[in-house]
Amino acid sequence: MKWLDSITNSMDVNLRKPLYWSFSAGLRSSTKALFSSLGSRMPMPLGKQVFFAGVAASGSCAIVYYLVQKTFSRASYYQLALEQLHSHPEALEALGTPLNVHYLKLTDKYNFVDIADAKLKIPVSGPKSEGHLYVSSSRDAPFKRWNLQEVFLELKDGQQIPLFKPSRDNDEVKKE
């Protein structure tokens, strides 16, 4: 073991310190630089740290909310339902044109999507009225095409306008 002592004695003193020591010292100095005011060696006050952390968290939540909404709006069941709405003269007459499609209320219990079924309540409005487009869609397997089951428009006065329902007679699609 004499040879091991001679090697360690010849090594630089800093190399004999445990690895966590150098890591924690580096972390401490970078954290100090991050939370100190610009041009100063004084640490940033706790109030500023909390404020900046809150701004970062709020911004992150807003970005996630936007990305979730964008994902829903690009889904085929969503697009198919909007096509049904835009091609239905009675619905267009009731709402008026131009149509405005609003963000989904993500906390609404009616909005539900899993691997085989999707149900959405899409807020829509026009110059004459407003309401919700109710969409029910399904698919046979995870990577298969979505098929609309039912689409109807419910106006704020309670009137329901059916837009799409599949025909049960001979597997044809029935557009109402």
Side-chain angles (χ1 to χ4, degrees):
M1 291 294 198
K2 198 173 200 180
W3 62 272
L4 183 60
D5 289 336
S6 66
I7 292 174
T8 56
N9 287 338
S10 66
M11 293 176 77
D12 188 5
V13 176
N14 290 332
L15 294 178
R16 283 188 272 156
K17 291 181 181 175
L19 181 61
Y20 70 87
W21 174 260
S22 61
F23 175 74
S24 64
L27 182 63
R28 205 174 316 121
S29 65
S30 62
T31 306
K32 187 176 182 181
L34 179 65
F35 289 112
S36 64
S37 300
L38 293 176
S40 172
R41 296 184 136 218
M42 296 294 292
M44 184 184 294
L46 181 61
K48 281 187 179 179
Q49 290 179 19
V50 169
F51 173 75
F52 288 131
V55 168
S58 299
S60 298
C61 289
I63 289 170
V64 168
Y65 181 82
Y66 171 77
L67 293 174
V68 168
Q69 291 289 348
K70 203 54 131 167
T71 302
F72 272 118
S73 68
R74 289 183 179 160
S76 62
Y77 48 83
Y78 188 96
Q79 293 296 323
L80 290 169
L82 289 181
E83 287 175 17
Q84 294 295 321
L85 176 63
H86 286 286
S87 65
H88 199 278
E90 186 183 350
L92 292 176
E93 178 63 31
L95 291 170
T97 53
L99 289 177
N100 295 321
V101 180
H102 304 281
Y103 283 137
L104 295 172
K105 186 175 179 186
L106 296 178
T107 57
D108 192 336
K109 291 182 182 180
Y110 191 86
N111 293 327
F112 171 79
V113 178
D114 70 3
I115 202 157
D117 296 308
K119 290 185 179 210
L120 295 178
K121 182 179 168 184
I122 305 170
V124 293
S125 66
K128 294 181 180 179
S129 187
E130 60 186 37
H132 290 94
L133 186 64
Y134 288 85
V135 182
S136 179
S137 185
S138 66
R139 60 183 173 184
D140 298 329
F143 297 104
K144 299 285 185 177
R145 189 172 184 271
W146 286 96
N147 300 307
L148 289 176
Q149 299 300 314
E150 183 179 25
V151 180
F152 67 91
L153 175 65
E154 183 176 71
L155 299 174
K156 69 178 180 181
D157 63 3
Q159 178 188 359
Q160 288 189 355
I161 302 172
L163 305 178
F164 176 87
K165 200 172 234 181
S167 176
R168 306 275 188 244
D169 299 336
N170 53 6
D171 292 336
E172 290 182 15
V173 173
K174 181 181 178 185
K175 191 174 176 181
E176 299 197 15

